[in-house]
Structure formats: C-alpha cells, structure tokens
Amino acid sequence: MKTTAAATIKEYIAEFPKDVQKVLNQVYKTVKQNAPQAEESIAYGMPAFKLNGKPLVYFAAFKEHIGFYPTPNGVTAFKKDFAKYKQGKGSVQFPLSEPMPIQLIEKIVKFRVEENLKNVKKK
C-alpha cells in the first residue's frame, strides 16, 4: 500500500493511475449510495466510513487488488461470498484483474449499516 498524505477520499483516489481510480470511484460511490449518512475520513491511511461514530467499512488500493475492510463481522457474514477471494480477519481482497463485485459490496455495506443501527439501539 502506498503511504498517503491525502486528507480526503477524493485526494486519496486521485493519487492512483486512472484505471485504479475508476475502480476506487466505483467502490466509493457504492458505499456512499448505500450509506449516505456515513461520515467520510481517512483512517489508517485509507478511505474510511463511520456511522454513529463507529467504523462501517474501509477500502484501499494495492498493486494487484482492492482491500475491502467490512470489520470481522462483515467478513464472517459473507464467508460464502468471499470463498474465492483472499481474506484476512476483517478484510477481503478483490483482484484488480477481475471486475469489482459491486453488488456484493452493496450487500456488505447494507449489512454493516443495519448492524451499526442495531448496536446503537441496544445502548
């Protein structure tokens, strides 16, 4: 991952080659459309979205993939969908050599928004 001094998600995306920018913009727009009330920021050097002060999802560009970080719960909930992708505890890697699974990202963001709202109501 490239270290970034970007202060906004748009600045972060602008640092990459045009083909990667296109993919990052797809991911960004998908998150925005499905979590319009989420706050945008840069956290851990990557685009981050928070809802009700809690992390929702993060994403980042790497040489060969887009890292998507829906927290460990998000990864667990979509284990079957993620089976063909490389994964970490709270992350999944979508290869840049394949079309971005936008509908899957949409489902994940909706799930995380719902989960976030349930946790807020519990308090």
Side-chain angles (χ1 to χ4, degrees):
M1 183 170 96
K2 119 201 249 184
T3 54
T4 181
T8 67
I9 293 175
K10 286 189 183 352
E11 285 177 19
Y12 176 89
I13 291 172
E15 294 178 349
F16 291 90
K18 293 280 182 226
D19 57 333
V20 177
Q21 285 182 30
K22 187 177 174 198
V23 176
L24 288 169
N25 274 313
Q26 281 182 307
V27 174
Y28 171 71
K29 286 176 183 156
T30 302
V31 176
K32 282 298 288 177
Q33 287 168 348
N34 292 283
Q37 65 282 56
E39 299 165 46
E40 296 180 24
S41 67
I42 296 291
Y44 308 108
M46 66 180 116
F49 290 85
K50 283 186 175 180
L51 187 61
N52 300 311
K54 299 284 182 210
L56 197 61
V57 297
Y58 302 82
F59 64 90
F62 295 86
K63 187 177 180 185
E64 310 235 340
H65 69 275
I66 298 295
F68 193 73
Y69 307 85
T71 74
N73 289 353
V75 171
T76 303
F78 291 90
K79 203 100 186 119
K80 280 185 186 159
D81 298 288
F82 290 168
K84 72 179 211 163
Y85 301 109
K86 189 171 180 188
Q87 302 166 52
K89 183 179 176 206
S91 66
V92 61
Q93 295 180 9
F94 299 126
L96 285 167
S97 59
E98 297 175 20
M100 212 39 41
I102 294 300
Q103 286 164 325
L104 176 57
I105 292 170
E106 197 172 297
K107 285 195 317 194
I108 297 163
V109 173
K110 287 178 179 175
F111 168 81
R112 290 290 299 125
V113 167
E114 220 171 276
E115 190 176 52
N116 182 292
L117 296 174
K118 277 183 201 163
N119 289 337
V120 169
K121 286 178 187 167
K122 281 182 190 171
K123 290 181 177 177

